[in-house]
Amino acid sequence: MSGVKRVNGVDLHWLEAGSGDPVLFLHGFPFDARMWSGQLSTLPGGWRGIAPDLRGFGESGGAGEPLTLDLLAADVAALLDALETGTAVVCGLSMGGYVAFALWRRRPELFRALVLADTRAEGDDEEGRRNRARLAETVAAEGSGAAVDAMLPKLLAMTARPEAIERVETMIRSTPPETIIAALTALAERPDSTPLLGEVTVPTLVIAGAEDAMTGPETARALAAAISGARLEIIPGAGHLPNLERPEAFDRVLGGFLRSLDE
Ligand code: MLT
Protein backbone atom coordinates (compact mmCIF):
# COMPACT_ATOMS: atom_id res chain seq x y z
CA MET A 1 0.00 0.00 0.00
CA SER A 2 1.14 3.56 -0.54
CA GLY A 3 0.01 7.12 0.14
CA VAL A 4 0.76 10.76 -0.56
CA LYS A 5 0.29 13.63 1.87
CA ARG A 6 1.12 17.30 1.65
CA VAL A 7 3.28 17.96 4.72
CA ASN A 8 5.82 20.69 5.44
CA GLY A 9 5.18 22.23 2.00
CA VAL A 10 5.86 19.09 -0.04
CA ASP A 11 3.88 16.13 -1.39
CA LEU A 12 5.46 13.23 0.45
CA HIS A 13 4.87 9.73 -0.93
CA TRP A 14 5.35 6.65 1.19
CA LEU A 15 5.08 2.85 1.03
CA GLU A 16 3.39 1.08 3.86
CA ALA A 17 2.63 -2.47 5.08
CA GLY A 18 1.32 -4.18 8.19
CA SER A 19 -0.51 -2.78 11.18
CA GLY A 20 0.48 -2.08 14.75
CA ASP A 21 3.44 -0.19 16.19
CA PRO A 22 5.21 1.93 13.56
CA VAL A 23 8.65 1.36 12.09
CA LEU A 24 9.85 4.32 10.02
CA PHE A 25 12.30 3.24 7.29
CA LEU A 26 14.60 6.00 5.97
CA HIS A 27 16.34 5.27 2.67
CA GLY A 28 19.93 5.93 1.64
CA PHE A 29 21.37 8.08 -1.15
CA PRO A 30 20.53 8.16 -4.01
CA PHE A 31 17.77 5.61 -3.57
CA ASP A 32 14.12 5.70 -2.58
CA ALA A 33 11.52 3.90 -0.48
CA ARG A 34 11.63 0.88 -2.80
CA MET A 35 14.90 -0.15 -1.17
CA TRP A 36 12.78 -1.20 1.84
CA SER A 37 10.09 -3.16 -0.02
CA GLY A 38 11.57 -6.50 1.13
CA GLN A 39 11.54 -5.40 4.78
CA LEU A 40 7.98 -4.07 4.49
CA SER A 41 6.76 -7.45 3.27
CA THR A 42 8.56 -9.46 5.97
CA LEU A 43 7.97 -7.33 9.09
CA PRO A 44 6.83 -9.47 12.02
CA GLY A 45 3.12 -9.29 12.98
CA GLY A 46 2.13 -6.33 15.14
CA TRP A 47 4.35 -3.83 13.27
CA ARG A 48 3.41 -1.20 10.69
CA GLY A 49 6.23 -0.31 8.29
CA ILE A 50 6.24 3.20 6.83
CA ALA A 51 8.88 4.02 4.20
CA PRO A 52 8.74 7.56 2.82
CA ASP A 53 10.40 8.75 -0.36
CA LEU A 54 12.41 11.64 1.06
CA ARG A 55 11.81 15.07 -0.52
CA GLY A 56 13.03 15.10 -4.13
CA PHE A 57 13.38 11.28 -4.27
CA GLY A 58 11.12 8.53 -5.65
CA GLU A 59 7.54 9.69 -6.11
CA SER A 60 7.73 12.58 -3.62
CA GLY A 61 7.69 16.19 -4.79
CA GLY A 62 10.44 18.71 -4.30
CA ALA A 63 12.94 17.74 -7.03
CA GLY A 64 15.13 20.73 -7.80
CA GLU A 65 14.68 22.33 -4.37
CA PRO A 66 17.68 22.92 -2.12
CA LEU A 67 17.97 20.16 0.50
CA THR A 68 19.37 19.89 4.00
CA LEU A 69 19.23 16.85 6.25
CA ASP A 70 17.33 18.98 8.74
CA LEU A 71 14.66 19.70 6.10
CA LEU A 72 14.36 15.98 5.27
CA ALA A 73 13.95 15.27 9.01
CA ALA A 74 11.31 18.01 9.35
CA ASP A 75 9.41 16.39 6.45
CA VAL A 76 9.34 12.94 8.04
CA ALA A 77 8.43 14.37 11.45
CA ALA A 78 5.50 16.14 9.78
CA LEU A 79 4.50 12.88 8.06
CA LEU A 80 4.52 10.96 11.36
CA ASP A 81 2.44 13.76 12.92
CA ALA A 82 -0.02 13.68 9.99
CA LEU A 83 -0.32 9.88 10.25
CA GLU A 84 -0.77 10.24 14.04
CA THR A 85 1.62 7.37 14.64
CA GLY A 86 2.94 8.44 18.05
CA THR A 87 6.43 7.09 18.69
CA ALA A 88 8.18 4.99 16.04
CA VAL A 89 11.13 2.68 15.72
CA VAL A 90 13.31 4.76 13.39
CA CYS A 91 15.47 2.69 11.02
CA GLY A 92 17.86 4.64 8.78
CA LEU A 93 20.41 3.28 6.35
CA SER A 94 23.41 5.47 5.47
CA MET A 95 21.88 8.85 4.50
CA GLY A 96 18.74 7.58 6.26
CA GLY A 97 20.87 7.33 9.41
CA TYR A 98 21.95 10.96 8.97
CA VAL A 99 18.25 11.89 8.68
CA ALA A 100 17.57 9.85 11.85
CA PHE A 101 20.22 11.90 13.70
CA ALA A 102 18.66 15.13 12.40
CA LEU A 103 15.24 13.85 13.55
CA TRP A 104 16.64 13.07 17.01
CA ARG A 105 18.00 16.61 17.16
CA ARG A 106 14.51 18.02 16.44
CA ARG A 107 12.08 15.53 17.95
CA PRO A 108 13.70 12.91 20.24
CA GLU A 109 10.29 12.17 21.78
CA LEU A 110 9.22 10.54 18.47
CA PHE A 111 11.66 7.65 18.95
CA ARG A 112 10.64 4.35 20.46
CA ALA A 113 13.91 2.75 19.32
CA LEU A 114 16.67 3.38 16.78
CA VAL A 115 18.21 1.20 14.07
CA LEU A 116 21.33 2.56 12.35
CA ALA A 117 22.48 0.57 9.33
CA ASP A 118 25.69 1.23 7.41
CA THR A 119 25.94 4.81 8.58
CA ARG A 120 28.22 7.08 10.57
CA ALA A 121 27.81 9.97 13.02
CA GLU A 122 30.73 12.06 11.75
CA GLY A 123 30.38 14.68 9.02
CA ASP A 124 32.43 14.72 5.82
CA ASP A 125 36.12 15.59 5.79
CA GLU A 126 37.63 17.90 3.16
CA GLU A 127 38.36 15.07 0.74
CA GLY A 128 34.82 13.73 1.09
CA ARG A 129 33.40 17.17 0.32
CA ARG A 130 35.64 17.49 -2.75
CA ASN A 131 34.50 14.09 -4.02
CA ARG A 132 30.87 15.09 -3.62
CA ALA A 133 31.45 18.36 -5.52
CA ARG A 134 33.13 16.39 -8.32
CA LEU A 135 30.25 13.91 -8.53
CA ALA A 136 27.73 16.80 -8.60
CA GLU A 137 29.57 18.30 -11.59
CA THR A 138 29.60 14.96 -13.40
CA VAL A 139 25.89 14.35 -12.74
CA ALA A 140 25.07 17.90 -13.92
CA ALA A 141 26.91 17.21 -17.17
CA GLU A 142 25.98 13.57 -17.79
CA GLY A 143 22.80 12.81 -15.80
CA SER A 144 21.97 10.32 -13.05
CA GLY A 145 23.60 7.39 -14.89
CA ALA A 146 26.96 8.93 -13.99
CA ALA A 147 26.14 8.29 -10.32
CA VAL A 148 25.61 4.60 -11.14
CA ASP A 149 29.11 4.37 -12.63
CA ALA A 150 30.67 6.29 -9.74
CA MET A 151 28.83 4.61 -6.87
CA LEU A 152 27.84 1.07 -7.81
CA PRO A 153 31.32 -0.47 -7.46
CA LYS A 154 31.54 0.83 -3.87
CA LEU A 155 28.02 -0.06 -2.81
CA LEU A 156 27.73 -3.80 -3.09
CA ALA A 157 29.75 -6.80 -1.92
CA MET A 158 31.68 -8.73 -4.57
CA THR A 159 29.16 -11.57 -4.31
CA ALA A 160 26.09 -9.35 -4.80
CA ARG A 161 23.25 -11.07 -6.64
CA PRO A 162 22.36 -9.68 -10.09
CA GLU A 163 18.86 -8.92 -8.79
CA ALA A 164 20.26 -6.63 -6.05
CA ILE A 165 22.55 -4.89 -8.56
CA GLU A 166 19.64 -4.30 -10.91
CA ARG A 167 17.41 -2.87 -8.19
CA VAL A 168 20.11 -0.48 -7.02
CA GLU A 169 20.85 0.65 -10.56
CA THR A 170 17.16 1.22 -11.32
CA MET A 171 16.70 3.38 -8.22
CA ILE A 172 19.77 5.53 -8.93
CA ARG A 173 18.82 6.05 -12.59
CA SER A 174 15.29 7.10 -11.63
CA THR A 175 16.50 9.71 -9.12
CA PRO A 176 16.35 13.13 -10.82
CA PRO A 177 19.84 14.61 -11.40
CA GLU A 178 18.80 17.82 -9.61
CA THR A 179 17.93 15.76 -6.50
CA ILE A 180 21.29 14.00 -6.61
CA ILE A 181 23.05 17.36 -6.87
CA ALA A 182 21.01 18.99 -4.07
CA ALA A 183 21.48 15.95 -1.83
CA LEU A 184 25.26 15.94 -2.41
CA THR A 185 25.37 19.48 -1.00
CA ALA A 186 23.17 18.46 1.95
CA LEU A 187 25.41 15.47 2.66
CA ALA A 188 28.59 17.54 2.43
CA GLU A 189 27.20 20.16 4.80
CA ARG A 190 25.69 17.83 7.38
CA PRO A 191 26.75 18.47 10.95
CA ASP A 192 28.78 16.11 13.10
CA SER A 193 26.27 14.02 15.06
CA THR A 194 28.88 12.46 17.38
CA PRO A 195 27.83 14.71 20.30
CA LEU A 196 24.29 13.27 20.07
CA LEU A 197 25.32 9.67 20.62
CA GLY A 198 25.67 9.99 24.39
CA GLU A 199 22.14 11.43 24.54
CA VAL A 200 20.47 8.45 22.84
CA THR A 201 18.43 6.78 25.55
CA VAL A 202 16.21 4.45 23.46
CA PRO A 203 17.09 0.83 22.59
CA THR A 204 19.46 0.92 19.62
CA LEU A 205 20.61 -1.61 17.05
CA VAL A 206 23.64 -0.89 14.85
CA ILE A 207 24.01 -2.99 11.67
CA ALA A 208 26.76 -3.11 9.04
CA GLY A 209 27.58 -5.26 6.05
CA ALA A 210 30.85 -7.12 6.72
CA GLU A 211 32.12 -5.99 3.32
CA ASP A 212 30.80 -2.42 3.40
CA ALA A 213 33.59 -0.35 1.82
CA MET A 214 32.04 2.96 2.94
CA THR A 215 30.75 2.47 6.48
CA GLY A 216 32.08 -0.92 7.47
CA PRO A 217 32.31 -2.96 10.67
CA GLU A 218 34.92 -0.68 12.30
CA THR A 219 32.68 2.37 11.91
CA ALA A 220 29.68 0.38 13.17
CA ARG A 221 31.64 -0.90 16.18
CA ALA A 222 32.62 2.65 17.17
CA LEU A 223 29.05 3.87 16.65
CA ALA A 224 27.61 1.08 18.82
CA ALA A 225 30.24 1.66 21.51
CA ALA A 226 29.24 5.33 21.76
CA ILE A 227 25.52 4.61 22.33
CA SER A 228 24.60 3.26 25.73
CA GLY A 229 23.47 -0.39 25.55
CA ALA A 230 23.50 -0.52 21.73
CA ARG A 231 23.44 -3.94 20.08
CA LEU A 232 25.81 -4.53 17.13
CA GLU A 233 25.17 -6.94 14.24
CA ILE A 234 27.54 -7.51 11.31
CA ILE A 235 25.95 -9.13 8.24
CA PRO A 236 28.33 -11.51 6.44
CA GLY A 237 28.51 -11.37 2.64
CA ALA A 238 26.95 -7.89 2.43
CA GLY A 239 28.32 -4.50 1.45
CA HIS A 240 26.73 -1.08 2.04
CA LEU A 241 23.16 -2.29 1.42
CA PRO A 242 22.72 -5.43 3.55
CA ASN A 243 18.92 -5.24 3.48
CA LEU A 244 19.06 -5.72 -0.31
CA GLU A 245 22.11 -7.95 -0.49
CA ARG A 246 21.35 -10.36 2.37
CA PRO A 247 17.68 -9.70 3.09
CA GLU A 248 17.13 -12.92 5.06
CA ALA A 249 19.96 -12.10 7.49
CA PHE A 250 18.95 -8.44 7.74
CA ASP A 251 15.29 -9.31 8.39
CA ARG A 252 16.27 -11.87 11.04
CA VAL A 253 18.35 -9.29 12.89
CA LEU A 254 15.71 -6.56 12.57
CA GLY A 255 12.86 -8.91 13.52
CA GLY A 256 14.78 -10.14 16.60
CA PHE A 257 15.37 -6.54 17.68
CA LEU A 258 11.70 -5.60 17.22
CA ARG A 259 10.58 -8.62 19.20
CA SER A 260 13.02 -7.72 22.00
CA LEU A 261 11.25 -4.35 22.37
CA ASP A 262 8.08 -6.12 23.47
CA GLU A 263 9.81 -8.25 26.11
C1 MLT B 1 24.16 6.45 1.31
O1 MLT B 1 24.15 5.25 1.00
O2 MLT B 1 23.15 7.00 1.78
C2 MLT B 1 25.40 7.24 1.05
O3 MLT B 1 26.48 6.39 0.96
C3 MLT B 1 25.62 8.27 2.11
C4 MLT B 1 26.89 9.05 1.88
O4 MLT B 1 27.33 9.18 0.73
O5 MLT B 1 27.44 9.56 2.87
Side-chain angles (χ1 to χ4, degrees):
M1 168 187 159
S2 65
V4 181
K5 259 188 197 295
R6 182 128 194 114
V7 291
N8 206 31
V10 69
D11 289 327
L12 221 58
H13 169 263
W14 75 94
L15 300 177
E16 168 163 359
S19 61
D21 296 343
V23 183
L24 175 70
F25 288 101
L26 299 170
H27 65 78
F29 166 83
F31 315 121
D32 57 54
R34 288 175 294 174
M35 71 166 280
W36 296 114
S37 48
Q39 282 62 51
L40 290 175
S41 63
T42 55
L43 265 185
W47 295 93
R48 172 189 183 190
I50 301 167
D53 284 327
L54 297 171
R55 181 185 291 247
F57 293 86
E59 295 179 43
S60 286
E65 296 174 9
L67 298 178
T68 62
L69 290 165
D70 189 48
L71 178 63
L72 300 179
D75 293 344
V76 295
L79 179 64
L80 292 183
D81 289 343
L83 295 177
E84 299 181 359
T85 59
T87 63
V89 177
V90 178
C91 172
L93 183 140
S94 200
M95 178 179 76
Y98 312 155
V99 176
F101 289 133
L103 186 60
W104 181 275
R105 217 173 265 119
R106 288 188 151 253
R107 301 278 304 275
E109 80 283 1
L110 283 177
F111 286 70
R112 171 163 181 207
L114 176 61
V115 181
L116 295 167
D118 301 80
T119 193
R120 65 170 74 246
E122 300 80 16
D124 280 4
D125 58 16
E126 271 313 311
E127 192 195 341
R129 285 195 197 101
R130 269 198 303 276
N131 289 341
R132 295 207 197 270
R134 249 195 310 271
L135 180 57
E137 273 173 30
T138 314
V139 169
E142 297 171 22
S144 302
V148 175
D149 301 336
M151 296 187 70
L152 203 56
K154 286 184 285 177
L155 285 172
L156 303 171
M158 295 296 284
T159 51
R161 285 178 266 204
E163 181 215 324
I165 300 174
E166 199 185 311
R167 282 181 67 190
V168 171
E169 186 167 344
T170 302
M171 283 189 286
I172 301 178
R173 280 191 197 282
S174 65
T175 304
E178 56 272 34
T179 294
I180 295 184
I181 293 164
L184 283 164
T185 303
L187 291 167
E189 290 175 355
R190 75 187 190 279
D192 179 13
S193 295
T194 314
L196 289 186
L197 302 180
E199 294 172 19
V200 176
T201 45
V202 294
T204 299
L205 167 66
V206 176
I207 304 176
E211 296 173 41
D212 184 345
M214 298 160 85
T215 43
E218 281 318 305
T219 305
R221 227 164 257 132
L223 189 55
I227 300 176
S228 170
R231 209 189 262 198
L232 172 69
E233 296 280 356
I234 305 297
I235 311 270
H240 191 58
L241 302 171
N243 69 308
L244 288 172
E245 296 176 80
R246 294 281 177 248
E248 306 82 7
F250 187 95
D251 295 348
R252 204 175 321 114
V253 162
L254 178 62
F257 178 68
L258 294 177
R259 274 186 283 269
S260 77
L261 298 176
D262 284 331
E263 281 162 8

